[in-house]
Amino acid sequence: MFSYLLKAKKLKPGEADLSPSVTLSKSQDPNFVRTTVYLPKLLHRQLKSAAAQSGQEMSELVEKSVAQYLQQFNPDDSL
């Protein structure tokens, strides 16, 4: 129940907390929507491999690719 207190950093009086703020996971972030995409097995393996090599999540690579693709239709919009 109070486990977050045990992990809390002890600050001296007047010391600013410079630790990164808590970020929501994509499943809890209201700015994200879950969707299903069907990919051929080979393309999925290639995507998974590219994600592992780049240290990014597959969803990040898909998000960037879709944004880049959509940019050609409306170059004035920045997603």
Side-chain angles (χ1 to χ4, degrees):
M1 179 176 206
F2 296 105
S3 61
Y4 68 95
L5 290 175
L6 297 174
K7 296 177 184 175
K9 180 181 175 186
K10 294 182 181 180
L11 299 174
K12 298 175 185 168
E15 181 182 8
D17 184 3
L18 301 177
S19 62
S21 60
V22 176
T23 57
L24 295 175
S25 67
K26 290 181 183 178
S27 65
Q28 296 176 335
D29 190 332
N31 294 310
F32 284 87
V33 176
R34 183 178 177 157
T35 189
T36 300
V37 177
Y38 289 94
L39 299 173
K41 287 183 178 184
L42 177 59
L43 186 59
H44 179 264
R45 280 195 298 258
Q46 291 171 330
L47 175 61
K48 191 171 184 176
S49 175
Q53 289 176 5
S54 68
Q56 299 178 67
E57 295 180 0
M58 288 175 29
S59 64
E60 290 178 88
L61 297 180
V62 171
E63 180 183 347
K64 290 175 183 178
S65 297
V66 170
Q68 184 178 4
Y69 175 78
L70 293 175
Q71 193 69 27
Q72 71 181 332
F73 298 107
N74 198 351
D76 295 333
D77 280 351
S78 61
L79 298 177

Coordinates of all heavy atoms in Angstrom, one line a residue:
M1 N 0.8 -1.2 0.0 CA 0.0 0.0 0.0 C 0.9 1.3 0.0 O 0.6 2.2 -0.7 CB -0.9 -0.1 1.2 CG -1.8 1.1 1.3 SD -3.0 0.9 2.7 CE -4.3 1.9 2.2
F2 N 1.9 1.3 0.8 CA 2.8 2.4 0.9 C 4.2 2.1 0.4 O 5.1 2.8 0.8 CB 2.8 3.0 2.3 CG 1.5 3.5 2.9 CD1 0.8 2.7 3.7 CD2 1.0 4.7 2.4 CE1 -0.4 3.2 4.2 CE2 -0.2 5.1 2.9 CZ -0.9 4.4 3.8
S3 N 4.3 1.2 -0.5 CA 5.6 0.8 -1.0 C 6.3 1.9 -1.8 O 7.5 1.9 -1.8 CB 5.4 -0.4 -2.0 OG 4.6 -0.1 -3.1
Y4 N 5.5 2.8 -2.3 CA 6.1 4.0 -3.0 C 6.9 4.8 -2.1 O 7.9 5.4 -2.4 CB 5.1 4.8 -3.8 CG 4.2 5.5 -2.9 CD1 4.4 6.9 -2.5 CD2 3.0 4.9 -2.4 CE1 3.5 7.6 -1.7 CE2 2.1 5.6 -1.6 CZ 2.4 6.9 -1.2 OH 1.6 7.6 -0.4
L5 N 6.5 4.8 -0.8 CA 7.3 5.6 0.2 C 8.6 5.0 0.5 O 9.6 5.7 0.8 CB 6.5 5.8 1.5 CG 5.2 6.6 1.4 CD1 4.4 6.6 2.7 CD2 5.6 8.1 1.1
L6 N 8.7 3.7 0.5 CA 10.0 3.0 0.7 C 11.0 3.3 -0.4 O 12.2 3.3 -0.1 CB 9.7 1.5 0.9 CG 8.8 1.1 2.1 CD1 8.6 -0.4 2.0 CD2 9.5 1.5 3.4
K7 N 10.5 3.5 -1.6 CA 11.4 3.7 -2.7 C 11.7 5.2 -2.9 O 12.4 5.6 -3.8 CB 10.8 3.2 -4.0 CG 10.6 1.7 -3.9 CD 9.9 1.2 -5.2 CE 9.6 -0.3 -5.1 NZ 8.9 -0.8 -6.2
A8 N 11.0 6.1 -2.2 CA 11.1 7.5 -2.4 C 12.5 8.0 -2.0 O 13.1 7.5 -1.0 CB 10.1 8.3 -1.5
K9 N 13.0 8.9 -2.7 CA 14.4 9.5 -2.5 C 14.2 10.5 -1.3 O 13.4 11.3 -1.3 CB 14.9 10.2 -3.7 CG 16.3 10.8 -3.6 CD 16.7 11.4 -4.9 CE 18.0 12.1 -4.7 NZ 18.4 12.9 -5.8
K10 N 15.2 10.4 -0.4 CA 15.1 11.4 0.7 C 15.9 12.6 0.3 O 17.0 12.6 -0.2 CB 15.8 10.8 2.0 CG 15.0 9.6 2.5 CD 15.7 9.1 3.8 CE 14.9 7.9 4.3 NZ 15.5 7.3 5.5
L11 N 15.2 13.8 0.3 CA 15.8 15.0 -0.1 C 16.1 15.9 1.2 O 15.4 15.8 2.2 CB 14.8 15.8 -1.0 CG 14.4 15.1 -2.3 CD1 13.3 15.9 -2.9 CD2 15.5 15.0 -3.2
K12 N 17.1 16.6 1.1 CA 17.5 17.6 2.1 C 16.6 18.8 2.0 O 16.1 19.1 0.9 CB 18.9 18.0 2.0 CG 19.9 16.9 2.1 CD 21.3 17.3 1.9 CE 22.3 16.1 1.9 NZ 23.6 16.4 1.4
P13 N 16.3 19.5 3.1 CA 15.5 20.7 3.0 C 16.0 21.6 1.9 O 17.2 22.0 1.8 CB 15.6 21.3 4.4 CG 16.0 20.2 5.3 CD 16.8 19.3 4.4
G14 N 15.1 22.1 1.0 CA 15.4 23.0 0.0 C 16.0 22.4 -1.3 O 16.2 23.0 -2.3
E15 N 16.3 21.1 -1.2 CA 16.9 20.4 -2.4 C 15.8 20.0 -3.4 O 14.7 19.5 -3.0 CB 17.6 19.1 -1.9 CG 18.2 18.3 -3.0 CD 18.9 17.0 -2.5 OE1 18.7 16.7 -1.4 OE2 19.6 16.4 -3.3
A16 N 16.0 20.3 -4.6 CA 15.0 20.0 -5.7 C 15.1 18.6 -6.1 O 16.2 18.0 -6.1 CB 15.3 20.9 -6.9
D17 N 14.0 18.0 -6.4 CA 13.9 16.6 -6.8 C 14.1 16.6 -8.3 O 13.3 17.0 -9.1 CB 12.6 16.0 -6.4 CG 12.5 14.5 -6.8 OD1 13.5 13.9 -7.3 OD2 11.4 13.9 -6.6
L18 N 15.3 16.1 -8.8 CA 15.6 16.1 -10.2 C 15.4 14.8 -10.8 O 15.7 14.6 -12.0 CB 17.1 16.5 -10.4 CG 17.4 17.9 -9.8 CD1 18.9 18.2 -10.0 CD2 16.6 19.0 -10.5
S19 N 14.8 13.9 -10.1 CA 14.5 12.6 -10.7 C 13.4 12.7 -11.7 O 12.5 13.6 -11.6 CB 14.1 11.6 -9.6 OG 12.9 12.0 -9.0
P20 N 13.4 11.8 -12.8 CA 12.4 12.0 -13.8 C 11.0 11.7 -13.3 O 10.8 10.9 -12.4 CB 12.8 10.9 -14.8 CG 13.8 10.0 -14.1 CD 14.3 10.7 -13.0
S21 N 10.1 12.5 -13.8 CA 8.7 12.3 -13.3 C 8.1 11.0 -13.8 O 8.6 10.4 -14.8 CB 7.8 13.5 -13.8 OG 7.8 13.5 -15.2
V22 N 7.2 10.5 -13.1 CA 6.5 9.3 -13.5 C 5.8 9.4 -14.8 O 5.0 10.4 -15.0 CB 5.6 8.8 -12.4 CG1 4.8 7.5 -12.8 CG2 6.3 8.6 -11.1
T23 N 6.0 8.6 -15.8 CA 5.4 8.6 -17.0 C 4.4 7.4 -17.1 O 4.7 6.4 -16.6 CB 6.3 8.5 -18.2 OG1 7.1 7.3 -18.1 CG2 7.3 9.7 -18.2
L24 N 3.3 7.7 -17.8 CA 2.3 6.6 -17.9 C 2.7 5.7 -19.0 O 3.3 6.1 -20.0 CB 0.9 7.3 -18.3 CG 0.3 8.2 -17.3 CD1 -1.0 8.8 -17.9 CD2 -0.1 7.4 -16.1
S25 N 2.3 4.4 -18.8 CA 2.5 3.5 -19.9 C 1.5 3.8 -21.0 O 0.5 4.5 -20.8 CB 2.3 2.1 -19.4 OG 0.9 1.9 -19.1
K26 N 1.8 3.4 -22.2 CA 0.9 3.7 -23.4 C -0.5 3.2 -23.1 O -1.5 3.8 -23.5 CB 1.5 3.1 -24.7 CG 2.7 3.9 -25.1 CD 3.2 3.3 -26.4 CE 4.5 4.0 -26.8 NZ 5.1 3.4 -28.1
S27 N -0.6 2.1 -22.4 CA -2.0 1.5 -22.2 C -2.8 2.4 -21.2 O -4.0 2.4 -21.2 CB -1.9 0.1 -21.6 OG -1.2 0.1 -20.4
Q28 N -2.1 3.2 -20.4 CA -2.8 4.1 -19.5 C -2.8 5.5 -19.9 O -3.5 6.3 -19.3 CB -2.1 4.0 -18.1 CG -2.2 2.6 -17.5 CD -1.4 2.6 -16.2 OE1 -0.4 3.3 -15.9 NE2 -1.8 1.6 -15.3
D29 N -2.0 5.9 -20.9 CA -2.0 7.2 -21.4 C -3.2 7.5 -22.3 O -3.4 6.9 -23.3 CB -0.7 7.4 -22.3 CG -0.4 8.9 -22.6 OD1 -1.4 9.7 -22.8 OD2 0.8 9.2 -22.8
P30 N -4.0 8.5 -22.0 CA -5.2 8.9 -22.7 C -4.9 9.4 -24.1 O -5.8 9.5 -25.0 CB -5.9 9.9 -21.9 CG -4.9 10.5 -21.1 CD -3.8 9.4 -20.8
N31 N -3.6 9.7 -24.4 CA -3.3 10.2 -25.8 C -3.0 9.0 -26.7 O -2.7 9.3 -27.9 CB -2.0 11.1 -25.7 CG -2.3 12.3 -24.9 OD1 -3.3 13.0 -25.2 ND2 -1.5 12.6 -23.9
F32 N -3.0 7.8 -26.3 CA -2.8 6.6 -27.1 C -4.0 5.8 -27.2 O -4.8 5.7 -26.3 CB -1.6 5.8 -26.6 CG -0.3 6.4 -26.8 CD1 0.3 7.3 -25.9 CD2 0.5 6.1 -27.9 CE1 1.5 7.9 -26.1 CE2 1.7 6.6 -28.1 CZ 2.2 7.6 -27.2
V33 N -4.2 5.1 -28.4 CA -5.3 4.2 -28.7 C -4.7 2.9 -29.1 O -3.8 2.9 -29.9 CB -6.2 4.8 -29.8 CG1 -7.3 3.8 -30.1 CG2 -6.8 6.1 -29.4
R34 N -5.2 1.8 -28.6 CA -4.7 0.5 -29.0 C -5.4 0.1 -30.3 O -6.6 0.3 -30.4 CB -5.0 -0.5 -27.9 CG -4.5 -1.9 -28.3 CD -4.7 -2.8 -27.1 NE -4.2 -4.1 -27.6 CZ -3.9 -5.1 -26.8 NH1 -4.0 -4.9 -25.5 NH2 -3.5 -6.2 -27.2
T35 N -4.7 -0.4 -31.2 CA -5.3 -0.9 -32.5 C -4.6 -2.2 -32.9 O -3.6 -2.6 -32.4 CB -5.1 0.2 -33.6 OG1 -5.8 -0.2 -34.7 CG2 -3.6 0.4 -33.9
T36 N -5.3 -2.9 -33.8 CA -4.7 -4.2 -34.3 C -4.4 -4.0 -35.8 O -5.2 -3.4 -36.5 CB -5.8 -5.3 -34.1 OG1 -6.1 -5.4 -32.8 CG2 -5.3 -6.6 -34.7
V37 N -3.2 -4.5 -36.1 CA -2.8 -4.4 -37.5 C -2.3 -5.8 -37.9 O -1.6 -6.5 -37.1 CB -1.6 -3.4 -37.6 CG1 -1.0 -3.5 -39.0 CG2 -2.0 -2.1 -37.2
Y38 N -2.8 -6.3 -39.0 CA -2.4 -7.6 -39.5 C -1.2 -7.4 -40.5 O -1.3 -6.7 -41.4 CB -3.5 -8.3 -40.2 CG -4.6 -8.8 -39.2 CD1 -5.7 -8.0 -38.9 CD2 -4.4 -10.0 -38.5 CE1 -6.6 -8.4 -38.0 CE2 -5.4 -10.4 -37.6 CZ -6.5 -9.6 -37.4 OH -7.4 -10.0 -36.4
L39 N -0.1 -8.1 -40.2 CA 1.1 -8.0 -41.0 C 1.5 -9.4 -41.5 O 1.3 -10.4 -40.7 CB 2.3 -7.4 -40.2 CG 2.2 -6.0 -39.6 CD1 3.3 -5.7 -38.7 CD2 2.1 -5.0 -40.8
P40 N 2.1 -9.5 -42.6 CA 2.6 -10.8 -43.0 C 3.7 -11.2 -42.0 O 4.4 -10.4 -41.5 CB 3.2 -10.5 -44.4 CG 2.5 -9.3 -44.9 CD 2.2 -8.5 -43.7
K41 N 3.8 -12.5 -41.8 CA 4.8 -13.0 -40.9 C 6.2 -12.5 -41.1 O 6.9 -12.1 -40.1 CB 4.8 -14.6 -40.8 CG 3.6 -15.2 -40.2 CD 3.7 -16.7 -40.2 CE 2.4 -17.2 -39.5 NZ 2.5 -18.7 -39.3
L42 N 6.6 -12.5 -42.3 CA 8.0 -12.0 -42.6 C 8.2 -10.6 -42.2 O 9.2 -10.2 -41.6 CB 8.3 -12.2 -44.1 CG 9.7 -11.7 -44.6 CD1 10.8 -12.4 -43.8 CD2 9.9 -11.9 -46.1
L43 N 7.2 -9.7 -42.6 CA 7.3 -8.3 -42.2 C 7.3 -8.1 -40.7 O 8.0 -7.3 -40.2 CB 6.1 -7.5 -42.8 CG 6.1 -6.0 -42.7 CD1 7.4 -5.4 -43.3 CD2 4.9 -5.4 -43.3
H44 N 6.5 -8.9 -40.0 CA 6.5 -8.9 -38.5 C 7.8 -9.2 -37.9 O 8.3 -8.6 -37.0 CB 5.4 -9.8 -38.0 CG 5.3 -9.8 -36.5 ND1 6.0 -10.7 -35.7 CD2 4.7 -9.0 -35.6 CE1 5.8 -10.5 -34.4 NE2 5.0 -9.4 -34.3
R45 N 8.4 -10.3 -38.5 CA 9.8 -10.7 -38.0 C 10.8 -9.6 -38.3 O 11.7 -9.3 -37.4 CB 10.2 -12.0 -38.7 CG 9.6 -13.2 -38.0 CD 10.4 -14.5 -38.5 NE 10.3 -14.6 -39.9 CZ 9.5 -15.5 -40.5 NH1 8.7 -16.3 -39.8 NH2 9.4 -15.6 -41.9
Q46 N 10.7 -8.9 -39.4 CA 11.6 -7.9 -39.8 C 11.4 -6.7 -38.8 O 12.4 -6.0 -38.4 CB 11.5 -7.4 -41.2 CG 11.9 -8.5 -42.2 CD 11.5 -8.2 -43.6 OE1 10.5 -7.5 -43.9 NE2 12.4 -8.6 -44.6
L47 N 10.2 -6.4 -38.5 CA 9.9 -5.3 -37.6 C 10.4 -5.6 -36.2 O 11.0 -4.7 -35.6 CB 8.4 -5.0 -37.6 CG 7.9 -4.0 -36.6 CD1 8.4 -2.6 -36.9 CD2 6.3 -3.9 -36.6
K48 N 10.2 -6.8 -35.8 CA 10.6 -7.2 -34.4 C 12.2 -7.1 -34.4 O 12.7 -6.6 -33.4 CB 10.1 -8.6 -34.1 CG 10.3 -9.1 -32.7 CD 9.6 -10.4 -32.5 CE 9.7 -10.8 -31.1 NZ 9.0 -12.0 -30.8
S49 N 12.8 -7.6 -35.4 CA 14.3 -7.5 -35.5 C 14.8 -6.1 -35.5 O 15.7 -5.7 -34.7 CB 14.8 -8.3 -36.7 OG 16.2 -8.1 -36.8
A50 N 14.2 -5.2 -36.3 CA 14.6 -3.8 -36.3 C 14.4 -3.1 -35.0 O 15.2 -2.3 -34.5 CB 13.8 -3.1 -37.4
A51 N 13.3 -3.5 -34.3 CA 13.0 -2.9 -33.0 C 14.1 -3.3 -32.0 O 14.6 -2.5 -31.2 CB 11.7 -3.3 -32.5
A52 N 14.5 -4.6 -32.0 CA 15.5 -5.1 -31.1 C 16.9 -4.4 -31.4 O 17.6 -4.0 -30.5 CB 15.6 -6.6 -31.2
Q53 N 17.2 -4.3 -32.7 CA 18.5 -3.7 -33.0 C 18.6 -2.2 -32.7 O 19.6 -1.7 -32.3 CB 18.7 -3.9 -34.5 CG 19.0 -5.3 -34.9 CD 19.2 -5.5 -36.4 OE1 19.2 -4.6 -37.2 NE2 19.3 -6.8 -36.8
S54 N 17.4 -1.5 -32.8 CA 17.4 -0.1 -32.5 C 17.2 0.2 -31.1 O 17.3 1.4 -30.6 CB 16.4 0.6 -33.4 OG 15.1 0.2 -33.0
G55 N 16.7 -0.8 -30.3 CA 16.4 -0.5 -28.9 C 15.1 0.2 -28.7 O 14.9 0.8 -27.6
Q56 N 14.3 0.2 -29.7 CA 13.0 0.8 -29.6 C 11.9 -0.2 -29.6 O 12.1 -1.4 -29.9 CB 12.7 1.7 -30.8 CG 13.8 2.8 -30.9 CD 13.5 3.7 -32.2 OE1 12.5 4.4 -32.3 NE2 14.4 3.6 -33.1
E57 N 10.7 0.2 -29.2 CA 9.6 -0.7 -29.2 C 9.0 -0.8 -30.6 O 9.1 0.1 -31.4 CB 8.4 -0.2 -28.2 CG 8.8 -0.2 -26.8 CD 7.7 0.3 -25.9 OE1 6.6 0.6 -26.4 OE2 7.9 0.3 -24.7
M58 N 8.4 -2.0 -30.9 CA 7.8 -2.1 -32.2 C 6.8 -1.0 -32.5 O 6.7 -0.5 -33.6 CB 7.2 -3.5 -32.4 CG 8.2 -4.6 -32.5 SD 7.6 -6.3 -32.5 CE 6.0 -6.2 -33.2
S59 N 6.0 -0.7 -31.4 CA 5.0 0.3 -31.6 C 5.6 1.7 -31.9 O 5.0 2.5 -32.7 CB 4.1 0.4 -30.3 OG 4.9 0.9 -29.2
E60 N 6.8 2.0 -31.4 CA 7.4 3.3 -31.7 C 7.8 3.3 -33.2 O 7.6 4.3 -33.9 CB 8.7 3.4 -30.9 CG 8.5 3.7 -29.4 CD 9.8 3.8 -28.7 OE1 10.4 4.9 -28.6 OE2 10.3 2.7 -28.2
L61 N 8.3 2.2 -33.7 CA 8.7 2.1 -35.1 C 7.5 2.3 -36.0 O 7.5 3.0 -37.0 CB 9.4 0.9 -35.5 CG 10.8 0.7 -34.7 CD1 11.4 -0.7 -35.1 CD2 11.7 1.8 -35.0
V62 N 6.4 1.6 -35.7 CA 5.1 1.7 -36.4 C 4.6 3.1 -36.4 O 4.2 3.7 -37.4 CB 4.1 0.7 -35.9 CG1 2.7 0.9 -36.6 CG2 4.5 -0.7 -36.2
E63 N 4.6 3.7 -35.2 CA 4.1 5.1 -35.1 C 4.9 6.1 -35.9 O 4.3 6.9 -36.7 CB 4.2 5.6 -33.6 CG 3.8 7.0 -33.3 CD 3.9 7.4 -31.9 OE1 4.2 6.5 -31.0 OE2 3.8 8.6 -31.6
K64 N 6.2 6.0 -35.9 CA 7.1 6.8 -36.8 C 6.8 6.6 -38.2 O 6.8 7.6 -39.0 CB 8.5 6.6 -36.4 CG 8.9 7.1 -35.1 CD 10.4 6.8 -34.7 CE 10.8 7.3 -33.4 NZ 12.1 6.9 -33.0
S65 N 6.7 5.4 -38.6 CA 6.5 5.0 -40.0 C 5.1 5.6 -40.5 O 5.0 6.1 -41.6 CB 6.5 3.5 -40.2 OG 7.8 3.0 -39.9
V66 N 4.1 5.4 -39.7 CA 2.7 5.9 -40.1 C 2.8 7.4 -40.2 O 2.2 8.0 -41.1 CB 1.7 5.4 -39.2 CG1 0.3 6.1 -39.4 CG2 1.5 3.9 -39.3
A67 N 3.4 8.1 -39.2 CA 3.4 9.5 -39.2 C 4.2 10.0 -40.5 O 3.8 11.0 -41.1 CB 4.1 10.0 -38.0
Q68 N 5.3 9.3 -40.8 CA 6.1 9.7 -42.0 C 5.2 9.5 -43.3 O 5.3 10.4 -44.2 CB 7.4 8.9 -42.0 CG 8.3 9.3 -43.2 CD 9.6 8.5 -43.2 OE1 9.8 7.6 -42.3 NE2 10.5 8.8 -44.1
Y69 N 4.5 8.4 -43.3 CA 3.7 8.1 -44.5 C 2.6 9.2 -44.7 O 2.3 9.7 -45.7 CB 3.1 6.7 -44.4 CG 2.1 6.4 -45.5 CD1 2.6 6.0 -46.7 CD2 0.7 6.5 -45.3 CE1 1.7 5.7 -47.8 CE2 -0.1 6.2 -46.3 CZ 0.3 5.8 -47.5 OH -0.5 5.5 -48.6
L70 N 1.9 9.5 -43.6 CA 0.8 10.5 -43.6 C 1.3 11.9 -43.9 O 0.6 12.7 -44.5 CB 0.1 10.5 -42.3 CG -0.7 9.2 -42.0 CD1 -1.3 9.3 -40.6 CD2 -1.8 8.9 -43.1
Q71 N 2.5 12.2 -43.6 CA 3.1 13.5 -43.9 C 3.1 13.8 -45.4 O 2.9 15.0 -45.7 CB 4.6 13.6 -43.3 CG 5.2 14.9 -43.3 CD 4.5 15.8 -42.2 OE1 4.0 15.3 -41.2 NE2 4.6 17.1 -42.4
Q72 N 3.2 12.9 -46.2 CA 3.2 13.1 -47.7 C 1.8 13.6 -48.1 O 1.8 14.3 -49.2 CB 3.6 11.9 -48.4 CG 2.6 10.8 -48.4 CD 3.0 9.6 -49.2 OE1 3.8 9.7 -50.1 NE2 2.6 8.4 -48.8
F73 N 0.8 13.4 -47.4 CA -0.5 13.8 -47.8 C -0.9 15.2 -47.3 O -1.7 15.9 -47.9 CB -1.6 12.8 -47.3 CG -1.5 11.5 -47.9 CD1 -1.0 10.4 -47.2 CD2 -1.7 11.2 -49.3 CE1 -0.8 9.2 -47.7 CE2 -1.6 10.0 -49.9 CZ -1.1 9.0 -49.1
N74 N -0.3 15.6 -46.2 CA -0.5 16.9 -45.6 C 0.8 17.4 -45.0 O 0.9 17.3 -43.7 CB -1.7 16.9 -44.6 CG -2.2 18.2 -44.4 OD1 -1.7 19.2 -44.8 ND2 -3.3 18.3 -43.6
P75 N 1.7 17.9 -45.8 CA 3.0 18.2 -45.2 C 3.0 19.4 -44.2 O 3.9 19.6 -43.5 CB 3.8 18.6 -46.4 CG 2.9 18.7 -47.5 CD 1.6 18.1 -47.2
D76 N 1.9 20.1 -44.1 CA 1.8 21.2 -43.2 C 1.5 20.8 -41.8 O 1.7 21.5 -40.8 CB 0.7 22.2 -43.6 CG 1.1 22.9 -44.9 OD1 2.3 23.0 -45.2 OD2 0.2 23.3 -45.7
D77 N 0.9 19.6 -41.6 CA 0.6 19.0 -40.3 C 1.8 18.3 -39.8 O 2.5 17.6 -40.4 CB -0.5 18.0 -40.4 CG -1.9 18.6 -40.5 OD1 -2.0 19.8 -40.3 OD2 -2.8 17.8 -40.8
S78 N 2.1 18.6 -38.5 CA 3.1 17.8 -37.8 C 2.4 17.0 -36.7 O 1.7 17.6 -35.9 CB 4.2 18.8 -37.2 OG 3.6 19.6 -36.3
L79 N 2.6 15.7 -36.8 CA 1.9 14.8 -35.8 C 2.6 14.7 -34.5 O 3.7 14.8 -34.3 CB 1.8 13.4 -36.5 CG 1.0 13.4 -37.7 CD1 1.0 12.0 -38.3 CD2 -0.4 13.8 -37.5

